[in-house]
Amino acid sequence: MAAFVPHEPRRQRQGVALCLSGGGFRAAVFHLGALRRLNELGILSQVDVISSVSGGSIFAAHLAERIPIWPEAGDTVATWDEVVAAPFRSFVQRNRRTGPVLRRLIPTNWTRPGTAIEALTTLFQRELTRLTLSELPQRPRFIFSATDMTFGTNWIFARDRIGNFQAGYGSPPPEWTVARAVAASSCFPPVFDPMPLHLEPHQLRGGSAHQANRDELVSRLSLTDGGVYDNLGLEPIWKTAQIVLVSDGGAPFGHESDPGVIRRLFRYTSIIGNQAAAIRKRWLIAALATGRLEGAYWGVGSAAEQQGASQGYPLDLVTDVIANVRTDLDAFSRAEISVLENHGYLMAEATIRRWSPHLIRSDAPLAVPHPNWMDGERVRNALTGSDKRTFLGRW
Protein backbone atom coordinates (compact mmCIF):
# COMPACT_ATOMS: atom_id res chain seq x y z
CA MET A 1 0.00 0.00 0.00
CA ALA A 2 1.30 3.42 -0.95
CA ALA A 3 2.18 5.75 1.90
CA PHE A 4 -0.18 8.66 2.52
CA VAL A 5 1.40 11.97 1.50
CA PRO A 6 -0.25 14.83 3.44
CA HIS A 7 1.06 17.51 1.09
CA GLU A 8 3.46 18.03 -1.77
CA PRO A 9 7.18 17.83 -0.92
CA ARG A 10 8.56 21.19 0.15
CA ARG A 11 10.56 21.61 -3.08
CA GLN A 12 7.38 21.29 -5.16
CA ARG A 13 5.15 23.67 -3.19
CA GLN A 14 4.88 27.22 -4.48
CA GLY A 15 3.60 30.64 -3.49
CA VAL A 16 2.17 32.36 -0.43
CA ALA A 17 -1.37 31.42 0.60
CA LEU A 18 -3.46 33.46 3.03
CA CYS A 19 -6.40 31.74 4.74
CA LEU A 20 -9.25 33.80 6.19
CA SER A 21 -11.43 31.78 8.55
CA GLY A 22 -15.14 31.87 9.17
CA GLY A 23 -16.75 33.48 12.18
CA GLY A 24 -19.24 36.06 10.91
CA PHE A 25 -18.51 39.77 11.20
CA ARG A 26 -16.30 39.08 14.20
CA ALA A 27 -13.86 37.14 12.02
CA ALA A 28 -14.19 39.59 9.13
CA VAL A 29 -13.20 42.60 11.28
CA PHE A 30 -10.41 40.60 12.96
CA HIS A 31 -9.07 39.87 9.45
CA LEU A 32 -9.40 43.55 8.54
CA GLY A 33 -6.99 44.42 11.33
CA ALA A 34 -4.59 41.57 10.55
CA LEU A 35 -4.37 42.41 6.86
CA ARG A 36 -3.86 46.06 7.65
CA ARG A 37 -0.62 45.10 9.38
CA LEU A 38 0.36 42.62 6.64
CA ASN A 39 -0.10 45.46 4.16
CA GLU A 40 2.07 47.84 6.18
CA LEU A 41 4.84 45.22 6.39
CA GLY A 42 4.80 44.60 2.63
CA ILE A 43 3.59 41.03 3.13
CA LEU A 44 0.06 41.26 1.72
CA SER A 45 1.38 42.12 -1.73
CA GLN A 46 3.36 38.86 -1.74
CA VAL A 47 0.21 36.75 -1.34
CA ASP A 48 -0.60 34.58 -4.37
CA VAL A 49 -3.81 32.92 -3.11
CA ILE A 50 -6.51 34.05 -0.70
CA SER A 51 -8.61 31.11 0.51
CA SER A 52 -11.65 32.12 2.53
CA VAL A 53 -14.63 30.76 4.41
CA SER A 54 -17.85 32.40 5.62
CA GLY A 55 -17.00 35.66 7.40
CA GLY A 56 -13.56 35.50 5.82
CA SER A 57 -15.22 35.28 2.40
CA ILE A 58 -17.18 38.46 3.10
CA PHE A 59 -13.95 40.35 3.72
CA ALA A 60 -12.16 38.65 0.80
CA ALA A 61 -14.91 39.78 -1.57
CA HIS A 62 -14.54 43.31 -0.24
CA LEU A 63 -10.80 43.14 -0.99
CA ALA A 64 -11.39 41.89 -4.53
CA GLU A 65 -13.84 44.73 -5.16
CA ARG A 66 -11.76 47.47 -3.56
CA ILE A 67 -8.25 46.50 -4.78
CA PRO A 68 -8.69 45.62 -8.46
CA ILE A 69 -4.94 45.99 -9.15
CA TRP A 70 -2.86 44.14 -6.57
CA PRO A 71 0.41 45.85 -5.60
CA GLU A 72 3.71 44.42 -6.76
CA ALA A 73 5.47 42.13 -4.30
CA GLY A 74 6.87 44.13 -1.40
CA ASP A 75 4.76 47.21 -2.12
CA THR A 76 1.73 48.37 -0.11
CA VAL A 77 -1.77 49.69 -0.66
CA ALA A 78 -1.10 53.30 0.30
CA THR A 79 -4.76 54.24 0.69
CA TRP A 80 -5.74 51.30 2.91
CA ASP A 81 -7.87 53.26 5.37
CA GLU A 82 -9.88 55.14 2.74
CA VAL A 83 -10.22 52.33 0.18
CA VAL A 84 -10.48 49.24 2.38
CA ALA A 85 -10.97 49.90 6.10
CA ALA A 86 -13.47 52.77 6.26
CA PRO A 87 -16.02 51.29 3.81
CA PHE A 88 -15.81 47.87 5.45
CA ARG A 89 -16.44 49.30 8.89
CA SER A 90 -19.55 50.95 7.47
CA PHE A 91 -20.65 47.64 5.96
CA VAL A 92 -20.52 45.71 9.25
CA GLN A 93 -22.26 48.47 11.19
CA ARG A 94 -25.57 47.42 9.63
CA ASN A 95 -27.57 44.23 10.21
CA ARG A 96 -27.12 42.04 7.13
CA ARG A 97 -28.69 38.87 8.54
CA THR A 98 -32.21 39.57 9.74
CA GLY A 99 -33.75 41.02 6.57
CA PRO A 100 -32.97 37.99 4.37
CA VAL A 101 -34.05 35.58 7.11
CA LEU A 102 -37.40 37.33 7.61
CA ARG A 103 -38.11 36.83 3.91
CA ARG A 104 -38.68 33.17 4.76
CA LEU A 105 -41.62 34.11 6.99
CA ILE A 106 -43.65 35.64 4.15
CA PRO A 107 -46.42 33.07 3.47
CA THR A 108 -45.79 32.99 -0.28
CA ASN A 109 -42.18 31.95 0.42
CA TRP A 110 -42.95 29.05 2.76
CA THR A 111 -42.76 26.51 -0.06
CA ARG A 112 -39.81 28.14 -1.83
CA PRO A 113 -36.49 26.71 -0.63
CA GLY A 114 -33.57 29.10 -0.71
CA THR A 115 -35.58 32.31 -0.27
CA ALA A 116 -33.33 33.65 2.49
CA ILE A 117 -30.12 32.76 0.68
CA GLU A 118 -31.39 34.43 -2.51
CA ALA A 119 -32.05 37.59 -0.51
CA LEU A 120 -28.58 37.39 1.06
CA THR A 121 -27.03 37.03 -2.41
CA THR A 122 -28.91 40.10 -3.63
CA LEU A 123 -27.81 42.08 -0.58
CA PHE A 124 -24.15 41.13 -1.09
CA GLN A 125 -24.34 42.05 -4.78
CA ARG A 126 -25.86 45.43 -3.97
CA GLU A 127 -23.74 46.33 -0.92
CA LEU A 128 -20.50 44.31 -1.13
CA THR A 129 -19.41 43.48 -4.69
CA ARG A 130 -20.79 43.49 -8.23
CA LEU A 131 -18.02 41.32 -9.63
CA THR A 132 -18.70 38.06 -11.43
CA LEU A 133 -16.39 35.12 -10.75
CA SER A 134 -14.78 35.57 -14.18
CA GLU A 135 -13.94 39.19 -13.28
CA LEU A 136 -11.85 38.23 -10.26
CA PRO A 137 -8.17 39.16 -10.63
CA GLN A 138 -5.61 36.61 -11.74
CA ARG A 139 -3.42 37.62 -8.82
CA PRO A 140 -4.04 36.92 -6.10
CA ARG A 141 -6.25 33.96 -6.84
CA PHE A 142 -9.39 34.22 -4.72
CA ILE A 143 -10.97 30.94 -3.60
CA PHE A 144 -14.31 31.05 -1.76
CA SER A 145 -15.24 27.80 -0.01
CA ALA A 146 -18.64 26.37 0.92
CA THR A 147 -19.69 22.91 2.13
CA ASP A 148 -21.24 20.47 -0.33
CA MET A 149 -24.27 18.95 1.44
CA THR A 150 -24.57 16.13 -1.10
CA PHE A 151 -21.04 14.73 -1.14
CA GLY A 152 -20.00 16.03 2.28
CA THR A 153 -16.83 17.82 1.27
CA ASN A 154 -15.41 21.24 0.45
CA TRP A 155 -16.75 23.13 -2.60
CA ILE A 156 -14.79 25.96 -4.21
CA PHE A 157 -15.72 29.03 -6.23
CA ALA A 158 -12.79 30.56 -8.14
CA ARG A 159 -12.16 32.64 -11.24
CA ASP A 160 -11.47 29.66 -13.45
CA ARG A 161 -13.49 26.83 -11.92
CA ILE A 162 -16.12 25.66 -9.47
CA GLY A 163 -16.65 22.26 -7.86
CA ASN A 164 -14.85 19.63 -5.81
CA PHE A 165 -13.02 16.34 -6.26
CA GLN A 166 -16.16 14.26 -5.69
CA ALA A 167 -18.69 15.99 -7.92
CA GLY A 168 -16.10 17.22 -10.42
CA TYR A 169 -15.04 20.63 -11.66
CA GLY A 170 -16.28 22.97 -14.34
CA SER A 171 -16.01 26.54 -15.52
CA PRO A 172 -18.34 28.90 -13.66
CA PRO A 173 -21.36 30.03 -15.70
CA PRO A 174 -20.78 33.60 -16.98
CA GLU A 175 -23.56 35.06 -14.85
CA TRP A 176 -22.38 33.56 -11.57
CA THR A 177 -21.38 36.35 -9.21
CA VAL A 178 -18.90 36.66 -6.37
CA ALA A 179 -21.90 37.63 -4.24
CA ARG A 180 -23.37 34.20 -4.88
CA ALA A 181 -20.14 32.51 -3.83
CA VAL A 182 -19.96 34.61 -0.65
CA ALA A 183 -23.60 33.88 0.21
CA ALA A 184 -23.02 30.14 -0.17
CA SER A 185 -19.85 30.38 1.90
CA SER A 186 -21.56 32.29 4.73
CA CYS A 187 -25.10 30.82 4.92
CA PHE A 188 -24.61 29.46 8.42
CA PRO A 189 -27.13 26.87 9.67
CA PRO A 190 -29.79 26.74 10.93
CA VAL A 191 -30.42 30.44 10.27
CA PHE A 192 -30.04 29.98 6.51
CA ASP A 193 -31.17 27.03 4.42
CA PRO A 194 -28.60 25.53 2.03
CA MET A 195 -28.18 27.16 -1.38
CA PRO A 196 -29.44 25.00 -4.30
CA LEU A 197 -27.07 25.22 -7.30
CA HIS A 198 -29.36 24.03 -10.13
CA LEU A 199 -26.45 22.63 -12.14
CA GLU A 200 -26.71 20.34 -15.13
CA PRO A 201 -24.67 17.12 -14.64
CA HIS A 202 -22.55 17.79 -17.74
CA GLN A 203 -21.30 21.08 -16.24
CA LEU A 204 -19.00 19.17 -13.85
CA ARG A 205 -16.41 16.66 -15.05
CA GLY A 206 -13.68 14.49 -13.60
CA GLY A 207 -15.17 13.79 -10.18
CA SER A 208 -14.44 10.62 -8.23
CA ALA A 209 -18.12 9.90 -7.53
CA HIS A 210 -19.23 6.93 -9.62
CA GLN A 211 -22.65 6.11 -8.18
CA ALA A 212 -25.30 5.04 -10.65
CA ASN A 213 -27.32 8.09 -9.61
CA ARG A 214 -24.37 10.48 -9.95
CA ASP A 215 -26.20 12.75 -12.42
CA GLU A 216 -29.22 13.01 -10.14
CA LEU A 217 -27.00 13.88 -7.18
CA VAL A 218 -25.19 16.61 -9.12
CA SER A 219 -28.44 18.12 -10.37
CA ARG A 220 -29.63 18.41 -6.76
CA LEU A 221 -26.43 19.79 -5.25
CA SER A 222 -26.82 22.30 -2.44
CA LEU A 223 -24.27 24.20 -0.40
CA THR A 224 -24.05 25.45 3.16
CA ASP A 225 -21.57 27.50 5.20
CA GLY A 226 -17.96 26.62 4.39
CA GLY A 227 -17.14 26.46 8.09
CA VAL A 228 -19.16 23.27 8.45
CA TYR A 229 -16.40 21.39 6.61
CA ASP A 230 -13.27 23.51 7.13
CA ASN A 231 -13.54 26.75 9.06
CA LEU A 232 -9.88 27.66 8.53
CA GLY A 233 -9.99 27.66 4.72
CA LEU A 234 -7.02 25.30 4.53
CA GLU A 235 -8.51 22.65 2.27
CA PRO A 236 -7.85 24.32 -1.13
CA ILE A 237 -4.22 25.25 -0.41
CA TRP A 238 -2.61 23.12 2.28
CA LYS A 239 -1.07 20.57 -0.11
CA THR A 240 0.46 23.00 -2.59
CA ALA A 241 1.39 26.33 -0.95
CA GLN A 242 4.98 26.96 0.06
CA ILE A 243 4.04 29.50 2.76
CA VAL A 244 0.73 29.36 4.64
CA LEU A 245 -0.60 32.29 6.67
CA VAL A 246 -3.79 31.63 8.63
CA SER A 247 -5.96 34.28 10.29
CA ASP A 248 -8.49 32.54 12.54
CA GLY A 249 -11.48 34.45 13.88
CA GLY A 250 -13.53 31.33 14.57
CA ALA A 251 -15.57 30.78 17.70
CA PRO A 252 -13.93 29.07 20.70
CA PHE A 253 -15.75 26.02 22.01
CA GLY A 254 -18.06 27.08 24.82
CA HIS A 255 -18.15 25.18 28.10
CA GLU A 256 -21.52 24.41 29.66
CA SER A 257 -23.22 21.83 31.87
CA ASP A 258 -25.80 19.39 30.49
CA PRO A 259 -28.25 21.69 28.66
CA GLY A 260 -31.26 19.36 28.73
CA VAL A 261 -32.82 16.96 26.24
CA ILE A 262 -33.54 19.33 23.33
CA ARG A 263 -30.37 21.42 23.41
CA ARG A 264 -28.36 18.27 24.11
CA LEU A 265 -28.95 17.19 20.49
CA PHE A 266 -27.27 20.36 19.25
CA ARG A 267 -24.52 19.91 21.83
CA TYR A 268 -23.66 16.47 20.44
CA THR A 269 -23.27 17.96 16.96
CA SER A 270 -21.24 20.86 18.30
CA ILE A 271 -18.81 18.54 20.08
CA ILE A 272 -18.28 16.49 16.91
CA GLY A 273 -17.64 19.62 14.88
CA ASN A 274 -15.27 21.01 17.49
CA GLN A 275 -13.28 17.78 17.47
CA ALA A 276 -12.75 17.97 13.70
CA ALA A 277 -11.78 21.65 13.85
CA ALA A 278 -9.40 21.05 16.77
CA ILE A 279 -7.62 18.24 14.93
CA ARG A 280 -7.15 20.42 11.85
CA LYS A 281 -5.84 23.31 13.94
CA ARG A 282 -3.49 21.11 15.97
CA TRP A 283 -2.12 19.58 12.78
CA LEU A 284 -1.49 23.04 11.32
CA ILE A 285 0.27 24.39 14.40
CA ALA A 286 2.37 21.23 14.74
CA ALA A 287 3.33 21.37 11.07
CA LEU A 288 4.41 25.00 11.43
CA ALA A 289 6.31 24.34 14.66
CA THR A 290 8.22 21.37 13.22
CA GLY A 291 8.96 23.00 9.88
CA ARG A 292 6.85 20.66 7.76
CA LEU A 293 4.99 23.80 6.71
CA GLU A 294 6.30 27.34 6.56
CA GLY A 295 4.17 30.27 7.69
CA ALA A 296 2.21 31.53 10.67
CA TYR A 297 -1.11 31.12 12.48
CA TRP A 298 -2.87 33.71 14.65
CA GLY A 299 -6.26 33.38 16.30
CA VAL A 300 -8.83 35.61 17.92
CA GLY A 301 -8.61 33.51 21.08
CA SER A 302 -4.88 34.12 21.51
CA ALA A 303 -2.98 37.03 23.02
CA ALA A 304 0.08 38.83 21.66
CA GLU A 305 1.88 38.17 24.95
CA GLN A 306 1.85 34.45 24.09
CA GLN A 307 4.06 35.29 21.11
CA GLY A 308 6.45 37.29 23.27
CA ALA A 309 5.08 40.68 22.21
CA SER A 310 4.80 43.54 24.67
CA GLN A 311 1.87 45.35 23.04
CA GLY A 312 -1.58 43.78 22.88
CA TYR A 313 -4.66 42.94 24.89
CA PRO A 314 -3.99 40.82 28.00
CA LEU A 315 -4.88 37.13 27.81
CA ASP A 316 -7.66 37.29 30.39
CA LEU A 317 -9.42 40.09 28.48
CA VAL A 318 -9.10 38.12 25.25
CA THR A 319 -10.47 34.86 26.64
CA ASP A 320 -13.19 36.47 28.79
CA VAL A 321 -14.47 39.09 26.34
CA ILE A 322 -12.92 39.56 22.90
CA ALA A 323 -12.88 35.93 21.79
CA ASN A 324 -16.52 35.57 22.85
CA VAL A 325 -17.94 38.38 20.71
CA ARG A 326 -20.80 36.78 18.77
CA THR A 327 -20.24 35.25 15.34
CA ASP A 328 -23.17 36.88 13.54
CA LEU A 329 -23.99 39.14 10.61
CA ASP A 330 -25.97 41.69 12.59
CA ALA A 331 -24.84 45.27 13.29
CA PHE A 332 -21.51 45.61 15.09
CA SER A 333 -20.88 48.65 17.26
CA ARG A 334 -17.97 51.04 16.84
CA ALA A 335 -16.47 49.62 20.02
CA GLU A 336 -16.71 46.01 18.80
CA ILE A 337 -15.20 46.94 15.44
CA SER A 338 -12.38 48.97 16.97
CA VAL A 339 -11.36 46.29 19.46
CA LEU A 340 -11.50 43.41 16.96
CA GLU A 341 -9.55 45.40 14.38
CA ASN A 342 -6.92 46.28 16.96
CA HIS A 343 -6.69 42.67 18.10
CA GLY A 344 -6.22 41.31 14.59
CA TYR A 345 -3.61 43.96 13.83
CA LEU A 346 -1.56 43.20 16.95
CA MET A 347 -1.86 39.42 16.63
CA ALA A 348 -0.64 39.47 13.03
CA GLU A 349 2.28 41.71 14.04
CA ALA A 350 3.31 39.49 16.96
CA THR A 351 2.95 36.21 15.11
CA ILE A 352 4.69 37.29 11.91
CA ARG A 353 7.60 38.73 13.91
CA ARG A 354 8.05 35.40 15.69
CA TRP A 355 7.37 32.84 12.96
CA SER A 356 7.93 34.46 9.54
CA PRO A 357 10.08 37.59 9.93
CA HIS A 358 11.77 36.88 6.57
CA LEU A 359 8.53 37.91 4.82
CA ILE A 360 8.73 41.48 6.12
CA ARG A 361 9.63 43.98 3.40
CA SER A 362 8.94 47.24 5.22
CA ASP A 363 10.01 48.78 8.50
CA ALA A 364 6.64 50.54 8.96
CA PRO A 365 6.24 51.38 12.66
CA LEU A 366 3.44 49.82 14.67
CA ALA A 367 0.37 52.08 14.53
CA VAL A 368 -2.68 50.56 16.24
CA PRO A 369 -5.80 51.49 14.23
CA HIS A 370 -7.79 52.64 17.28
CA PRO A 371 -5.36 53.51 20.11
CA ASN A 372 -8.17 54.95 22.25
CA TRP A 373 -9.59 51.41 22.50
CA MET A 374 -6.54 49.80 24.10
CA ASP A 375 -7.64 50.40 27.70
CA GLY A 376 -8.69 47.06 29.16
CA GLU A 377 -11.36 48.34 31.55
CA ARG A 378 -12.97 50.45 28.84
CA VAL A 379 -13.02 47.47 26.48
CA ARG A 380 -14.52 45.16 29.08
CA ASN A 381 -17.30 47.64 29.86
CA ALA A 382 -18.08 48.49 26.23
CA LEU A 383 -18.24 44.84 25.12
CA THR A 384 -20.50 43.65 27.92
CA GLY A 385 -23.21 41.55 26.28
CA SER A 386 -21.41 41.40 22.92
CA ASP A 387 -21.53 37.61 23.07
CA LYS A 388 -25.35 37.51 23.09
CA ARG A 389 -27.36 36.71 19.95
CA THR A 390 -30.99 37.73 19.61
CA PHE A 391 -33.66 36.68 17.12
CA LEU A 392 -33.85 40.04 15.37
CA GLY A 393 -30.22 40.89 16.05
CA ARG A 394 -28.73 44.33 16.55
CA TRP A 395 -29.49 47.24 14.21
Side-chain angles (χ1 to χ4, degrees), residues 61-270:
H62 178 76
L63 280 181
E65 177 73 26
R66 294 285 172 166
I67 312 177
I69 301 177
W70 207 248
E72 293 296 322
D75 290 343
T76 64
V77 178
T79 54
W80 179 268
D81 203 61
E82 306 95 286
V83 172
V84 177
F88 196 69
R89 293 175 195 136
S90 296
F91 180 81
V92 300
Q93 283 181 309
R94 294 181 59 189
N95 188 319
R96 309 294 182 173
R97 178 256 291 175
T98 305
V101 172
L102 290 179
R103 292 284 295 274
R104 295 168 58 184
L105 303 181
I106 299 174
T108 55
N109 291 332
W110 290 354
T111 58
R112 290 183 57 210
T115 298
I117 197 64
E118 288 175 6
L120 187 64
T121 301
T122 300
L123 185 152
F124 284 155
Q125 188 164 5
R126 184 179 67 246
E127 304 286 347
L128 186 66
T129 176
R130 296 183 179 275
L131 295 173
T132 63
L133 290 173
S134 63
E135 291 172 333
L136 285 167
Q138 292 187 339
R139 179 182 177 274
R141 184 173 186 236
F142 285 87
I143 303 175
F144 303 93
S145 288
T147 299
D148 179 344
M149 294 288 286
T150 300
F151 293 100
T153 188
N154 199 67
W155 174 282
I156 67 164
F157 295 87
R159 181 178 186 271
D160 56 341
R161 67 175 185 167
I162 58 171
N164 60 35
F165 75 95
Q166 290 268 21
Y169 294 94
S171 298
E175 71 278 7
W176 278 27
T177 63
V178 173
R180 186 179 194 185
V182 176
S185 183
S186 59
C187 60
F188 56 96
V191 175
F192 291 99
D193 292 331
M195 172 188 283
L197 287 185
H198 305 298
L199 286 171
E200 296 294 332
H202 66 83
Q203 291 180 271
L204 301 179
R205 298 181 181 276
S208 61
H210 299 296
Q211 296 97 322
N213 63 339
R214 180 263 177 192
D215 287 0
E216 178 187 357
L217 292 175
V218 170
S219 66
R220 300 178 66 179
L221 277 172
S222 63
L223 306 178
T224 192
D225 190 296
V228 173
Y229 185 82
D230 169 22
N231 199 49
L232 293 181
L234 280 170
E235 187 71 13
I237 58 87
W238 68 283
K239 292 183 180 180
T240 56
Q242 180 181 6
I243 299 173
V244 178
L245 305 175
V246 179
S247 183
D248 181 12
F253 186 68
H255 300 162
E256 63 178 74
S257 57
D258 190 333
V261 176
I262 302 299
R263 289 184 57 197
R264 191 182 300 150
L265 297 175
F266 293 98
R267 186 67 174 175
Y268 290 145
T269 304
S270 179

Side-chain angles (χ1 to χ4, degrees), residues 296-318:
Y297 164 91
W298 56 89
V300 73
S302 303
E305 64 190 65
Q306 294 174 300
Q307 301 297 331
S310 60
Q311 189 166 356
Y313 294 112
L315 183 59
D316 62 335
L317 181 64
V318 171

Side-chain angles (χ1 to χ4, degrees), residues 281-303:
K281 190 180 300 183
R282 287 171 186 166
W283 173 86
L284 170 65
I285 294 173
L288 292 172
T290 59
R292 293 175 64 192
L293 280 181
E294 183 182 352
Y297 164 91
W298 56 89
V300 73
S302 303

Side-chain angles (χ1 to χ4, degrees), residues 30 299-319 322 338-351 366-371 373-377 379-380:
F30 180 75
V300 73
S302 303
E305 64 190 65
Q306 294 174 300
Q307 301 297 331
S310 60
Q311 189 166 356
Y313 294 112
L315 183 59
D316 62 335
L317 181 64
V318 171
T319 56
I322 300 174
S338 299
V339 172
L340 287 166
E341 191 177 351
N342 282 353
H343 188 40
Y345 181 92
L346 292 166
M347 284 306 306
E349 159 73 14
T351 309
L366 199 65
V368 179
H370 310 280
W373 280 103
M374 288 303 299
D375 180 76
E377 184 177 355
V379 170
R380 193 176 291 272

